[in-house]
Amino acid sequence: MSKPLKIVQYKYYLKESSKDGIISFVGSNPSSKASFFYRAFIDQSLRNIMKRRFEECFSYSNTQGSNHLRQAISGLFIDNIRVSADSILITNGSQQAISLIAQTLIRPNDNVLVDHTSYLGIEKPLKDSRARIQSFPKPLHELSYSGIEKVIKYVQPKILYVIPDFANPTGQSLTGELRTFLAEFAERYRFFLVEDRSYSCLAYPYNPLLPSLLSLSSDTLSIGSISKCIAPGLRIGWIASAQINNINKLVLQKETVDLGSSMLVQEISASILEELRKSPKLMDTIKAFYQRRMELLLSSLEKYMPEDFSWTIPHGGFFVWVNGPKSLDSRSFFQRALLNGVGFTPGCLFYYKKPQNNTFRLSISDVPDTDIEEGVKRLAKAASEELSQIHHSS
Ligand SMILES: Cc1ncc(COP(=O)(O)O)c(C=O)c1O
């Protein structure tokens, strides 16, 4: 029997951890509190739209997306000179962007290369297009450039998919040098670089973002989203490419799927982005909101976790990646953690080749500040119990 899809397994961990009394570090749903920061913008934009743009909002959208929204996105999120509003396709979240890219670019048996760990939501769209998912044998930043090149030459990918900033699941970012090399490799070995910038908008204040791959290579398709920094319920994402023929192909595919995203939602989103442009400090408030949670998590891990555990130190986004001792299996550890009142996502869900079962992901996105220290205390207690049971039975 084939293994259940990663997304199905993930839903099990999400559901078990959402039971009463459990502090859940599982979900990557942005905090509902973050939407309150935009409340005034949303109220105002709804009033404006009903007054000024009523007719457009209840009509079909141009499939590529509202010009107003594409302009707003190119002004706020596309940090380079390669693309204008014409080179952007609006999608229903970055998840649809991934599916459209898979449907448009992949032929059966094409290889898609991903980092050592990667987002679990790429599995089904890529498999539906009959791609073969291959991964690097170690995290990209632990490989030499000749090591990376060797894998690329061997795999001959059609697409290299990376999450350059505050990646899901590790929270880590690609170095500037690594970005330059990947851009060079894409040009030399003729593959598409697909960068997923879903978390790039969440660089903690005073932590400047490194250049996007889009700014480094014209072979890049850059995926973005407002889900993590504004509101996932609006379902607005995009694909940007310097090559307009790529965008045209993707537009055609989107036409077969839904004829275009909701105009009402696009106009609301455009108007929020315009307000944000006028008040850049608001974005810093949201980033600082998550940064505080991240700092609480990191200091609690430092204070309470047993010695044999180590973890990443992210500078943005939601995730921390934890490595336990080799003997730990984070799937059975999860069951013990639940008994102690805390949940996390076992690391095996994020590997596309041989998983390292001693890893797991913690997400701060929807854990109230007041629960973080208590959640880590419970995690540390569960870890000590689990390790002493493992030592007993070995
Ligand atoms: C790396 C990554 N890409 C894409 C998505 C999809 O997000 P959305 O469709 O809400 O933009 C997620 C969601 O968690 C994600 O973590």
Side-chain angles (χ1 to χ4, degrees):
M1 220 173 64
S2 62
K3 255 178 133 186
L5 284 167
K6 291 173 184 298
I7 188 74
V8 175
Q9 297 179 55
Y10 175 66
K11 281 187 177 159
Y12 163 78
Y13 293 108
L14 199 58
K15 187 163 158 241
E16 290 301 304
S17 304
S18 65
K19 292 186 175 156
D20 272 359
I22 310 281
I23 296 177
S24 173
F25 291 104
V26 176
S28 60
N29 202 12
S31 167
S32 49
K33 277 206 171 147
S35 321
F36 280 102
F37 295 122
Y38 300 106
R39 188 61 204 257
F41 285 2
I42 297 172
D43 286 348
Q44 186 57 42
S45 83
L46 280 170
R47 272 195 297 274
N48 289 346
I49 286 164
M50 294 310 271
K51 237 195 266 160
R52 298 196 204 117
R53 292 180 178 262
F54 184 87
E55 270 181 43
E56 293 128 273
C57 281
F58 293 92
S59 172
Y60 280 116
S61 162
N62 150 7
T63 309
Q64 190 170 348
S66 126
N67 193 37
H68 187 196
L69 177 58
R70 284 184 287 123
Q71 300 273 3
I73 287 170
S74 75
L76 253 182
F77 292 108
I78 312 281
D79 57 332
N80 69 87
I81 46 163
R82 282 182 192 264
V83 301
S84 64
D86 289 345
S87 319
I88 295 174
L89 163 66
I90 303 297
T91 57
N92 296 327
S94 51
Q95 189 62 39
Q96 188 185 47
I98 294 168
S99 294
L100 292 176
I101 289 173
Q103 290 157 11
T104 309
L105 298 184
I106 300 290
R107 300 279 162 272
N109 299 323
D110 277 348
N111 285 320
V112 174
L113 186 56
V114 303
D115 206 341
H116 188 46
T117 53
S118 197
Y119 173 44
L120 52 82
I122 58 172
E123 183 190 33
K124 181 144 171 43
L126 290 175
K127 285 193 171 162
D128 284 351
S129 296
R130 297 178 49 207
R132 294 200 194 120
I133 309 177
Q134 313 283 353
S135 62
F136 284 96
K138 283 184 188 173
L140 273 165
H141 63 269
E142 286 180 22
L143 285 167
S144 65
Y145 298 120
S146 62
I148 295 173
E149 188 171 21
K150 209 161 128 193
V151 176
I152 290 172
K153 276 172 145 172
Y154 180 73
V155 170
Q156 298 186 6
K158 178 75 169 277
I159 287 176
L160 171 55
Y161 169 87
V162 286
I163 307 166
D165 305 304
F166 328 119
N168 183 359
T170 64
Q172 287 179 312
S173 303
L174 300 181
T175 62
E177 218 184 357
L178 191 47
R179 291 170 200 234
T180 312
F181 276 101
L182 293 182
E184 277 174 27
F185 289 149
E187 283 174 24
R188 191 174 319 151
Y189 296 107
R190 308 303 316 149
F191 57 82
F192 290 102
L193 262 176
V194 174
E195 64 167 350
D196 184 336
R197 302 188 80 227
S198 295
Y199 295 90
S200 306
C201 52
L202 287 177
Y204 299 149
Y206 318 113
N207 171 41
L209 266 187
L210 290 168
S212 67
L213 292 164
L214 182 65
S215 67
L216 300 173
S217 163
S218 61
D219 294 312
T220 303
L221 290 160
S222 186
I223 294 176
S225 172
I226 62 169
S227 287
K228 307 299 179 183
C229 55
I230 298 178
L234 290 170
R235 307 306 305 130
I236 289 294
W238 61 88
I239 305 171
S241 167
Q243 298 187 26
I244 205 94
N245 61 330
N246 288 332
I247 294 296
N248 291 342
K249 281 189 213 155
L250 291 158
V251 170
L252 210 59
Q253 185 62 30
K254 182 158 164 81
E255 206 148 283
T256 69
V257 177
D258 60 13
L259 293 181
S261 298
S262 150
M263 265 308 267
L264 178 61
V265 168
Q266 291 186 72
E267 287 305 320
I268 294 170
S269 307
S271 143
I272 296 174
L273 296 186
E274 275 173 359
E275 289 303 321
L276 265 182
R277 194 167 195 178
K278 288 184 226 149
S279 335
K281 283 224 168 85
L282 180 62
M283 212 54 217
D284 281 345
T285 312
I286 285 143
K287 294 172 186 180
F289 171 83
Y290 288 118
Q291 182 181 24
R292 179 170 159 67
R293 288 186 174 183
M294 182 61 81
E295 281 168 356
L296 278 169
L297 176 66
L298 294 172
S299 61
S300 305
L301 287 168
E302 198 61 58
K303 196 160 158 196
Y304 298 107
M305 283 307 274
E307 256 183 14
D308 312 354
F309 288 77
S310 59
W311 48 87
T312 54
I313 312 277
H315 299 286
F318 296 158
F319 307 117
V320 169
W321 185 245
V322 185
N323 263 279
K326 283 268 175 315
S327 54
L328 186 88
D329 183 330
S330 59
R331 291 162 300 180
S332 45
F333 175 38
F334 173 82
Q335 301 302 342
R336 188 180 298 277
L338 271 191
L339 294 174
N340 279 276
V342 63
F344 56 78
T345 314
C348 56
L349 265 64
F350 303 98
Y351 291 89
Y352 285 90
K353 288 286 166 201
K354 197 169 167 290
Q356 270 173 232
N357 288 325
N358 60 327
T359 56
F360 57 94
R361 185 189 81 175
L362 299 173
S363 168
I364 46 94
S365 67
D366 210 11
V367 193
D369 293 8
T370 45
D371 281 355
I372 291 179
E373 183 169 2
E374 176 59 25
V376 175
K377 267 193 204 166
R378 294 179 188 183
L379 187 71
K381 180 169 168 285
S384 301
E385 287 174 14
E386 186 73 5
L387 293 185
S388 76
Q389 205 220 309
I390 293 169
H391 292 147
H392 247 78
S393 47
S394 62

